[in-house]
DNA sequence: CTGTTAGCGCATTCAT
DNA sequence: ATGAATGCGCTAACAG
């Protein structure tokens, strides 16, 4: 029924091994026979059996990409960049690798499950994006799983995620703390002293680092940080909206709101507008990430640009061994403060 | 080195066949032996070899999802929805299927390449999203490829894409024409008569259908359609910006601009603002898709909501055989006109 | 440069 | 309910 390599060999009048060599191209084959084989492949409309190939060679051409939410451009941009760099040797159409995108929803269990599934597939590499959940037990489980993946020959790269101890994984970490500090420094420079903070989900490295940067900036100037001015919530628009309503209730005197990311900031802006407050006239707003839509927000959003595409591309190249891993197995990727119109001098007393 | 099923069998003192049966669960096994096997699996930290399993069983648990651009939420939302519905039988963690997301960039060649790659992997199903390129030769190639995939047992579902002749593929098509017509009808109702149109890339079904809807609305009211008022470009922000600059140059008297999608509309808004024009005071703007950020645009964007998540989820279920295919192998998914603040009564004469 | 020979690890007949 | 045997389709030594 289905055409196999042996069929091709028969038609080209060569041995199966030769066909295999032609197809994989990592072995010298006479030009004439190659032609003959290729023609036979074409004639028979032959398609290599991936599983069989992977079984025999003990490696597959699948690359796993773990993301929290593929519908979020933050992850979509990184995933796309990784995928663009995992082309096979020679860049040939047939030699490409496939990206397996796994939506973890930020759940540690699903993360583990997907890693096991990728291990089962004998994935060539795995790229983990997004912040990690801060839980000792889970951290150990992940670390062990990553180690076993690496032992099995799967290259592991962390993109936008802090290093994992004892895991033999290359880490490209975003400087969330530095970015968070730069953002709040900017607001302090403008004269803000009562700044609300809409943080991401608790127990996340990203959340904690950004918040730490914020607090470090405040502490450096001796500005008091009221605990009630910080609210946690998921990384979505609704969370920004609701958190802002809550902040406005708790502390109507706030002159600025820093959001966990741009999406949250958009929700915050909506809530402020509905409350009849102008931005930045009454309240300044800042985001994080600089997603594509942020420059088109009205007013354009002050935020910290993270080079998502560049980081993803680099992670992809490292995962493919096409680029050397950074010294020490880790690199810090800096963000860049983008000052736009959503932040200004506070007008309230 | 690596633990195999045989190792597990030895430890559990059963035959490899029994272990296989326990793992797959599609065969009666005594509770006691099952326990023993499961314990052995745990003790040895055994992970099934996917390729070997796929080779022996002649099916894999990979599901392909073709998208134009995974960084675009339009596709990210659909991909995420598909992925959420392709859980394996029983919903068990270990029984899940993996989503292979393929970024085609809208290129027919890459589309074909990825389909071949998925065929090679013996994918359980393939979901194609996004509009198709309108080219006879390519259409035939795709059609043939899809047929062969279906013949090999891969279920094929088109999501947001018109049916493919002779391909035995279920199609969930968006009513782009109806949506386009509703949008332009809305503008005509408001009194607009000089409407610019920023269309998507040429030779795309999505582009053509939306444009046809626009023209049908104009024709129905006898409103002339100046060829110079339509500009084509990619589905991105920049295209919207540049096209709007061009439209403003060509026809300063336009009172409304309809964009190919929301992202393009955002670019159009930016260009209008820079030109000192107010929205909708001077020019009304409308988008398409109703992506999450559109409601937060200022002014909030009038657009056509496409139920991307619902369609993707349904495509996923159909791909898994968990939902019956629609009668005739195709269903039309309606959009919904969302009238918001970016459109209003024209002020110009 | 090419053919021959063995498995890769598992699912599935058949037996029992 | 379980075990033994066979082959899925391919790659990787090893010869020649």
């Amino acid at each position: 029924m289905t055409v196999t390599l042996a069929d091709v060999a028969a038609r080209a009048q060569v041995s199966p091994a030769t066909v295999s060599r032609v197809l994989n191209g990592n072995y010298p084959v006479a030009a004439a026979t190659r032609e003959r084989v290729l023609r036979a492949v074409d004639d028979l409309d032959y398609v290599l059996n991936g599983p069989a190939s992977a079984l025999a060679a003990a490696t597959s051409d699948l690359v796993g990409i773990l993301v929290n939410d593929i519908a979020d451009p933050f992850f979509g941009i990184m995933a796309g960049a990784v995928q663009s760099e995992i082309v096979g040797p020679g860049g040939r159409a047939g030699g490409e690798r496939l990206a397996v995108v796994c939506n973890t929803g930020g759940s540690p269990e699903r993360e583990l499950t997907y890693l096991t599934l990728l291990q089962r597939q004998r994935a060539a590499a795995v790229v983990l994006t997004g912040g990690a959940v801060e839980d000792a037990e889970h951290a150990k489980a992940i670390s062990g799983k990553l180690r076993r993946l690496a032992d099995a020959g799967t290259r592991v790269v962390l993109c936008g995620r802090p290093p994992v101890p004892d895991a033999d994984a290359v880490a490209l970490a975003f400087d969330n703390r530095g970015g968070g500090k730069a953002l709040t420094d900017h607001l302090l420079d403008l004269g803000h002293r009562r700044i609300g903070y809409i943080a991401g989900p608790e127990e996340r490295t990203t959340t904690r680092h950004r918040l730490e940067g914020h607090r470090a900036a405040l502490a450096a100037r001796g500005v008091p940080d009221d605990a009630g001015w910080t609210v946690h919530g998921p990384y979505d628009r609704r969370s920004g909206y609701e958190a802002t309503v809550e902040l406005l209730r708790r502390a109507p005197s706030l002159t600025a709101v820093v959001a966990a990311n741009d999406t949250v900031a958009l929700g915050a802006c909506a809530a402020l507008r509905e409350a009849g407050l102008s931005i930045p006239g009454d309240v300044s707003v800042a985001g994080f990430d600089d997603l594509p839509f942020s420059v088109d927000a009205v007013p354009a959003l002050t935020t910290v640009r993270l080079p998502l595409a560049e980081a993803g591309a680099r992670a992809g190249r490292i995962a493919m061994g096409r680029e050397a891993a950074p010294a020490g197995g880790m690199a810090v990727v800096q963000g860049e403060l983008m000052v736009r119109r959503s932040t200004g001098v506070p007008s309230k007393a």
Side-chain angles (χ1 to χ4, degrees), chain A:
Chain A
M1 182 63 219
T2 150
V3 182
T4 76
L5 189 144
D7 298 330
V8 175
R11 186 171 231 273
Q13 314 201 54
V14 294
S15 74
T18 300
V19 177
S20 173
R21 294 198 259 256
V22 169
L23 261 31
N24 290 314
N26 348 308
Y27 217 82
V29 172
T33 42
R34 146 170 291 122
E35 281 311 313
R36 206 140 34 86
V37 170
L38 255 23
R39 192 142 28 77
V41 166
D42 232 49
D43 290 347
L44 266 39
D45 214 9
Y46 169 70
V47 175
L48 188 71
N49 184 317
S53 170
L55 172 58
T59 58
S60 80
D61 43 4
L62 296 178
V63 173
I65 305 177
L66 264 61
V67 300
N68 280 7
D69 179 10
I70 193 60
D72 184 338
F74 177 83
F75 293 101
I77 290 170
M78 282 195 287
V82 170
Q83 204 244 27
S84 71
E85 294 286 347
I86 59 173
V87 295
R92 264 211 25 172
E96 285 196 52
R97 267 176 273 263
L98 287 171
V100 177
V101 176
C102 307
N103 253 16
T104 65
S107 149
E109 293 75 33
R110 293 187 62 76
E111 202 163 86
L112 234 22
T113 299
Y114 276 123
L115 286 175
T116 300
L117 253 28
L118 290 166
Q119 181 182 5
R120 170 183 299 189
Q121 295 297 335
R122 305 302 189 251
V126 171
V127 176
L128 290 88
T129 69
V133 170
E134 303 204 289
D135 173 81
E137 191 184 351
H138 175 244
K140 186 153 38 156
I142 288 283
S143 166
K145 183 58 89 180
L146 293 185
R147 185 153 11 88
R148 247 164 286 127
L149 275 164
D151 287 348
T154 297
R155 235 178 299 230
V156 179
V157 181
L158 308 173
C159 183
R161 193 174 172 121
V164 173
D166 315 318
D168 192 19
V170 176
L172 260 35
F174 292 131
D175 181 19
N176 285 309
R177 192 171 335 212
K181 178 161 188 312
L183 208 47
T184 298
D185 273 337
H186 160 68
L187 290 170
L188 291 169
D189 286 344
L190 287 172
H192 294 272
R193 288 299 177 269
R194 294 185 302 282
I195 306 174
Y197 192 95
I198 308 175
E202 309 215 41
E203 318 263 304
R204 293 304 232 281
T205 52
T206 306
T207 298
R208 183 165 62 77
H209 292 155
R210 292 182 183 178
L211 188 49
E212 281 175 4
H214 170 67
R215 288 183 174 153
L218 293 176
R221 313 241 187 156
V223 175
D225 177 30
D226 191 312
W229 296 354
T230 295
V231 181
H232 284 270
Y235 282 115
D236 59 29
R237 190 245 183 206
R238 169 183 218 172
S239 159
Y241 182 92
E242 292 174 353
T244 302
V245 169
E246 174 65 18
L247 282 176
L248 251 27
R249 197 183 58 69
R250 286 190 197 171
S253 68
L254 292 181
T255 64
V257 171
V258 176
N261 73 5
D262 291 352
T263 306
V264 172
L266 240 46
C269 288
L272 290 171
R273 267 195 305 276
E274 283 190 20
L277 296 168
S278 79
I279 306 167
D282 296 313
V283 179
S284 287
V285 175
F288 211 109
D289 298 342
D290 195 24
L291 296 185
F293 59 73
S294 302
V295 68
D296 283 319
V298 177
L301 206 56
T302 290
T303 185
V304 174
R305 165 172 295 176
L306 252 27
L308 300 174
E310 292 82 350
R314 190 171 171 203
R317 288 192 301 271
I318 293 173
M320 292 298 94
R322 302 203 290 120
E323 176 175 326
M330 114 146 231
V332 174
V333 177
Q334 300 296 330
E336 179 189 0
L337 179 65
M338 307 296 289
V339 175
R340 294 201 274 244
R341 312 296 297 274
S342 70
T343 51
V345 174
S347 61
K348 295 186 194 172

